[in-house]
């Protein structure tokens, strides 16, 4: 199992291109199951989660080929197997987003029920409620969700839950509704840019979706969809992570391929903390103003502050001046990084879904353990700011969502070594 050894304290400087969005790519790739003919999807990042999704699509009868320049060609050639087994789903929860497309196109989808993960319980009850409203019959067998329908029909579907809407649930229901008979109105739909990207891809395939990006999405069912070309949006979470890297290292980065309009809540917080963020062409320039101020952050559904940047901002606030408060309103247990950041000298006090951070700490390198994707990113960021050496174990988590992060940070001046520490694990 690989580890990172980080020598902290260097200032990051330079230019970096932000990759295509992982969380937009996964449902778009799943939606290719709905179409006849081939789709060519551009700017798919080269990540572990994407490789898992490719394996799953192959298992479900797709021909999938990587073309040069980050393009992926997907074509359904065999519709006999509609089962996403536990072995695949346990590696990546997002496999659940094949359920809607399989149901709508093949009349049946069988997907192993995803379990919880390091960021907490992750139920799929709202996905299933939505698919049932479209006429699916859903049962559980041997840990698998089996969804069946001879023909889906349009319906009014409400996707709200205790923590707001659901991103992949909206992807599932919206994808399924494209081939349903009649009109579907999704109320309390997720408004995330990844949902807009999926709707744009589906529309390019011949679907009739309007209202994407708002809480009311309307889908007029069509008889069939056909493959098309589509470019994935830039990864807003990767962009936000590198913005924090510039700030926490007292550096200055020019990030290319950034949709700043997808990141306004995070940019607003960075500016209030004292980080200079300027839009330059199709990217941003981010520079630390040296003195970083405390902040109060509450994660919320889009366009609010993203939960996927909570851990990274917590690392930043550990070195800012004054006391900060971070509340998690999407995944109330998503705080595995707190104990590890504390090992680096951060002062954090957790009360339920809120953490109080006493800032102004000089972080000091130590061995720490990565627990999930964004927590790992937070530890890398903290390691960049820490004095001395930080060793992060189990960095496979970070490879799920950031392509060669150590090489890219090193190209900006960081000192990170990847080592294989499998012995003794
Ligand atoms: N929820 C339910 N029932 C459901 C579905 C969700 O109660 O049927 C709850 C969840 O437990 C959570 C909230 O609703 O409290 C929101 O969960 P959501 O369904 O929106 O999460 P997701 O779609 O499974 C995606 C991203 C996550 C990101 C969340 C929230 C992908 C592949 N994953 O997950 O990304 O944190 O939306 O924005 O798109 C990551 O990239 O590190 C990551 C975890």
């Amino acid at each position: 199992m690989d580890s990172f050894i980080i020598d902290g304290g260097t200032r990051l400087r330079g230019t970096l291109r932000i990759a295509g969005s992982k969380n937009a790519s996964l449902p778009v790739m799943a939606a290719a199951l709905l179409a006849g003919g081939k789709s060519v999807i551009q700017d798919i990042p080269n990540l572990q989660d994407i490789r898992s999704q490719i394996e799953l699509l192959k298992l479900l009868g797709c021909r999938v080929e990587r073309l040069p320049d980050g393009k992926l060609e997907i074509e359904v050639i065999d519709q006999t197997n509609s089962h996403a087994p536990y072995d695949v789903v346990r590696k990546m929860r997002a496999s659940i987003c094949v359920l809607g497309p399989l149901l709508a196109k093949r009349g049946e989808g069988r997907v192993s029920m995803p379990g919880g993960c390091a960021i907490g319980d992750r139920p799929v009850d709202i996905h299933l409620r939505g698919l049932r409203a479209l006429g699916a019959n859903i049962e559980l067998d041997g840990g698998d969700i089996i969804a069946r329908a001879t023909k889906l029909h349009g319906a009014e579907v409400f996707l709200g839950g205790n923590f707001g809407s659901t991103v992949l649930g909206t992807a599932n229901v919206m994808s399924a509704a494209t081939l349903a008979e009649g009109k579907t109105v999704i109320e309390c739909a997720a408004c995330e840019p990844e949902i807009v990207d999926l709707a744009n891809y589906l529309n390019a395939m011949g679907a009739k979706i309007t209202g994407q990006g708002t809480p009311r999405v309307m889908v007029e069912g069509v008889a069939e969809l056909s493959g098309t070309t589509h470019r994935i949006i830039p990864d807003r979470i990767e962009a936000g992570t590198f913005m924090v890297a510039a700030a926490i290292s007292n550096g200055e980065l020019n990030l290319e391929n950034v949709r700043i309009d997808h990141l306004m809540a995070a940019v607003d917080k960075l500016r209030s903390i004292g980080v200079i963020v300027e839009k330059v062409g199709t990217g941003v320039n981010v520079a630390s103003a040296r003195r970083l101020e405390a902040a109060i952050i509450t994660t919320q559904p889009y366009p609010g502050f993203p939960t996927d940047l909570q851990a990274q901002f917590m690392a930043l606030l550990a070195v800012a001046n004054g006391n900060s408060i971070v509340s998690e309103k999407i995944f109330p247990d998503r705080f595995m990084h707190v104990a590890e950041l504390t090992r680096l000298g951060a002062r954090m006090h957790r009360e339920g879904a809120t953490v109080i951070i006493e800032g102004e700490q000089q972080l000091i390198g130590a061995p720490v353990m990565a627990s999930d994707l964004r927590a790992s990113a937070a530890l890398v960021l903290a390691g960049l700011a820490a004095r001395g050496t930080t060793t992060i174990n189990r960095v496979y988590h970070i490879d799920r969502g950031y392509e060669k992060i150590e090489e890219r940070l090193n190209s900006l001046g960081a000192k990170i070594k990847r080592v294989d520490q499998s012995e003794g694990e």
Side-chain angles (χ1 to χ4, degrees):
M1 236 173 253
D2 288 358
S3 300
F4 282 164
I5 300 177
I6 307 180
D7 272 329
T10 51
R11 247 181 217 178
L12 300 192
R13 276 183 201 286
T15 298
L16 186 92
R17 183 181 187 275
I18 297 302
S21 161
K22 164 180 86 78
N23 289 349
S25 298
L26 295 170
V28 161
M29 289 166 71
L33 288 165
L34 288 162
K38 65 178 181 218
S39 277
V40 175
I41 306 165
Q42 303 173 24
D43 235 358
I44 296 267
N46 189 7
L47 302 169
Q48 191 49 52
D49 274 9
I50 299 294
R51 290 189 280 277
S52 301
Q53 191 78 327
I54 291 175
E55 282 319 304
L56 176 56
L57 290 181
K58 286 182 175 169
L59 209 62
L60 298 172
C62 297
R63 182 180 65 77
V64 187
E65 245 174 85
R66 268 218 177 259
L67 307 176
D69 303 333
K71 288 186 189 139
L72 199 70
E73 193 172 276
I74 307 177
E75 184 175 11
V76 182
I77 49 174
D78 178 359
Q79 303 201 44
T80 43
N81 180 38
S82 297
H83 184 194
Y86 181 61
D87 262 7
V88 181
V89 177
R90 80 184 160 79
K91 275 192 239 159
M92 190 185 57
R93 268 194 99 268
S95 322
I96 188 70
C97 59
V98 299
L99 186 63
L102 287 174
L103 169 70
K105 178 68 180 173
R106 303 184 186 180
E108 177 174 322
R110 182 176 186 131
V111 178
S112 180
M113 175 75 104
C117 64
I119 69 177
D121 292 342
R122 297 184 69 182
V124 291
D125 55 314
I126 308 174
H127 297 232
L128 304 188
R129 196 171 77 204
L131 296 175
R132 275 198 185 102
L134 298 181
N137 184 296
I138 294 181
E139 55 186 69
L140 263 182
D141 180 37
D144 290 340
I145 302 163
I146 306 171
R148 290 195 188 93
T150 24
K151 184 73 193 160
L152 296 175
H153 52 75
E156 279 196 7
V157 183
F158 178 71
L159 292 184
N162 292 344
F163 301 97
S165 187
T166 157
V167 178
L168 291 178
T170 302
N172 254 329
V173 173
M174 184 171 78
S175 297
T178 58
L179 293 181
E181 217 164 75
K183 184 174 176 177
T184 297
V185 180
I186 306 174
E187 299 286 0
C188 203
C191 302
E192 271 68 5
E194 293 76 15
I195 292 297
V196 176
D197 204 32
L198 173 64
N200 292 345
Y201 170 61
L202 288 165
N203 281 345
M205 292 204 294
K208 291 191 176 158
I209 303 173
T210 52
Q212 61 269 34
T214 77
R216 175 181 289 157
V217 171
M218 278 145 312
V219 187
E220 194 71 61
V222 297
E224 58 177 26
L225 299 175
S226 41
T228 185
T229 56
H230 178 74
R231 178 180 289 279
I232 294 289
I233 53 170
D235 196 311
R236 63 194 169 102
I237 305 303
E238 178 171 282
T241 303
F242 279 101
M243 287 179 182
V244 175
I248 205 167
S249 73
N250 248 323
E252 180 165 356
L253 294 180
N254 183 256
L255 303 176
E256 291 172 349
N257 194 36
V258 176
R259 286 282 303 264
I260 196 169
D261 55 321
H262 290 170
L263 268 162
M264 287 319 288
V267 167
D268 182 62
K269 281 298 163 199
L270 283 172
R271 287 180 175 148
S272 77
I273 290 169
V275 180
I276 301 158
V277 184
E278 278 165 359
K279 186 173 184 317
V280 185
T282 54
V284 289
N285 203 69
V286 188
S288 169
R290 301 289 159 86
R291 190 184 154 82
L292 300 173
E293 304 296 339
I296 296 176
I297 294 180
T298 301
T299 66
Q300 285 171 331
Y302 187 84
F305 188 93
T307 172
D308 291 343
L309 284 174
Q310 179 254 105
Q312 299 90 315
F313 270 67
M314 222 183 251
L316 182 63
L317 293 173
V319 300
N321 288 279
N323 296 341
S324 295
I325 302 174
V326 173
S327 300
E328 177 54 65
K329 292 279 169 80
I330 309 290
F331 294 110
D333 284 323
R334 193 177 202 175
F335 287 119
M336 299 285 278
H337 43 283
V338 168
E340 302 301 307
L341 289 170
T342 305
R343 285 179 52 76
L344 298 175
R347 286 202 176 176
M348 297 181 170
H349 312 279
R350 181 176 169 191
E351 266 305 319
T354 296
V355 174
I356 295 167
I357 303 159
E358 284 181 60
E360 294 183 76
Q361 306 304 319
Q362 166 63 63
L363 301 179
I364 299 163
V368 288
M369 187 79 84
S371 56
D372 65 85
L373 169 56
R374 309 302 171 188
S376 320
L379 294 176
V380 169
L381 294 167
L384 292 174
R387 195 169 63 212
T389 305
T390 299
T391 305
I392 306 179
N393 295 304
R394 293 178 181 263
V395 292
Y396 61 85
H397 289 290
I398 209 164
D399 296 330
R400 292 186 41 211
Y402 298 87
E403 188 178 340
K404 296 187 179 137
I405 193 165
E406 77 284 16
E407 287 178 23
R408 292 158 82 205
L409 285 168
N410 286 346
S411 76
L412 303 169
K415 291 184 185 155
I416 308 179
K417 234 180 3 198
R418 183 187 285 261
V419 292
D420 180 358
Q421 292 197 333
S422 46
E423 289 117 67
E425 286 264 359

